[in-house]
Amino acid sequence: LPSLNVAEPLVPYDPIAAEKILFRQPTKWLVRNIQIALPFGTWVSGVLIDTILGKSKQNRRNRAKQLNGIIADLGPAIIKAGQALASRPDLLPSEYLDELQQLQDNVPTFSNEVAFQIVEEELNQNFEDVFELVEPEPIAAASIGQVYKARLLKNGQLVALKIQRPNTEEVVELDLYVLRWWGGVYNKIFELLGRNINLQSVMDDFGNLLYAEIDYIAEAANARRFSELYAQDVAIADVFVPKVYSELTSRKVLTMEW
């Protein structure tokens, strides 16, 4: 089979540039540190208390639900980390895996009003002049965005309308900076312990993956490329590659055939 060259995001992840900018905004990243550390610290305290009282197994399901709720409220980067944990049975008990797997497609939605405003700003068109909702609410919500089932007014074609969460890039950039900073702290600790583990490098790989995901133009380009390579391949005739509506797609909005 031919290889698929993955499209690069229009704005690549640049941890050094982000560090230069955010280091001069200590209030922003200090507040974010507290927003992340406080709920996680509360959860860890609860787990420790359960362990001391011998109620760890009894309360494990509730603690897993708490952790899932904390992660779901902290934005795309933290949710993505939670999704990664959901596939690690070597690290977490089954109760946690069950709860964290819900982060794949069952995270809180954001309002239709905000979503449609993003569409109008990105496409420079009134939402109701282009789309008609088939379902009044999102049919799915994930870490980066949510998806609506809609109809194009110009031709009646059913489409999947994917809209990115507000301020996603800013939140991701800030969270990666915070996580990368903590990675540097733990790198020093690991050095003292004689361990050669570079958590900042792990964060950089994570950042590159995230920045590729939050650029819907890159996602659209990859879909088109996949279609060019495989749509006519009789060996995979059952594979459906939806059409991308390029004129209705931007870095934050993706419109594809239903």
Side-chain angles (χ1 to χ4, degrees):
L1 291 178
S3 62
L4 176 63
N5 295 320
V6 178
E8 295 293 328
L10 294 179
V11 179
Y13 174 54
D14 188 340
I16 305 304
E19 182 176 346
K20 290 179 179 178
I21 295 171
L22 290 169
F23 184 76
R24 297 194 297 268
Q25 304 175 40
T27 302
K28 181 180 289 188
W29 53 265
L30 283 172
V31 168
R32 187 56 176 164
N33 255 306
I34 294 172
Q35 290 174 338
I36 294 174
L38 189 59
F40 276 116
T42 302
W43 171 77
V44 169
S45 298
V47 172
L48 290 175
I49 291 172
D50 290 344
T51 302
I52 293 170
L53 298 178
K55 296 182 178 181
S56 180
K57 189 171 184 179
Q58 175 185 339
N59 291 341
R60 189 176 292 162
R61 177 66 64 180
N62 286 335
R63 296 302 181 193
K65 289 181 182 294
Q66 289 175 2
L67 180 61
N68 180 68
I70 290 169
I71 292 174
D73 287 339
L74 284 175
I78 308 301
I79 292 174
K80 281 294 178 185
Q83 290 174 347
L85 283 174
S87 61
R88 296 297 302 271
D90 57 320
L91 296 179
L92 293 173
S94 60
E95 292 89 344
Y96 283 91
L97 299 178
D98 292 343
E99 290 296 326
L100 294 181
Q101 282 169 3
Q102 296 181 32
L103 295 171
Q104 300 293 340
D105 56 7
N106 188 26
V107 298
T109 61
F110 56 99
S111 74
N112 287 352
E113 180 181 1
V114 172
F116 302 158
Q117 182 179 351
I118 291 173
V119 173
E120 293 182 348
E121 291 173 353
E122 289 293 307
L123 303 183
N124 198 28
Q125 300 182 67
N126 291 327
F127 185 90
E128 62 270 15
D129 292 340
V130 182
F131 302 101
E132 175 188 346
L133 291 181
V134 175
E135 301 288 343
E137 298 298 328
I139 61 167
S143 58
I144 305 298
Q146 57 194 34
V147 179
Y148 294 84
K149 185 176 184 179
R151 180 177 288 106
L152 296 180
L153 293 179
K154 66 178 182 179
N155 59 14
Q157 175 69 52
L158 289 178
V159 295
L161 177 61
K162 186 176 179 181
I163 305 171
Q164 192 172 113
R165 293 180 178 276
N167 305 315
T168 290
E169 187 173 334
E170 292 84 354
V171 173
V172 165
E173 180 183 55
L174 179 57
D175 284 355
L176 288 172
Y177 173 76
V178 170
L179 293 173
R180 196 173 188 274
W181 185 86
W182 279 108
V185 171
Y186 280 102
N187 281 352
K188 297 296 184 183
I189 295 174
F190 288 138
E191 285 179 12
L192 293 175
L193 296 174
R195 302 289 299 277
N196 184 23
I197 300 175
N198 189 342
L199 290 180
Q200 285 189 327
S201 177
V202 173
M203 287 298 106
D204 289 346
D205 290 341
F206 182 47
N208 286 325
L209 291 173
L210 265 179
Y211 266 67
E213 283 199 43
I214 65 177
D215 190 330
Y216 290 171
I217 290 179
E219 182 175 340
N222 289 329
R224 284 193 295 269
R225 178 63 175 154
F226 186 89
S227 178
E228 291 169 2
L229 290 175
Y230 302 120
Q232 305 304 319
D233 194 323
V234 294
I236 52 174
D238 292 335
V239 174
F240 171 68
V241 183
K243 171 186 176 182
V244 174
Y245 290 85
S246 300
E247 72 279 11
L248 298 176
T249 294
S250 73
R251 291 186 66 231
K252 299 180 181 179
V253 176
L254 177 60
T255 306
M256 302 181 74
E257 180 183 5
W258 185 263

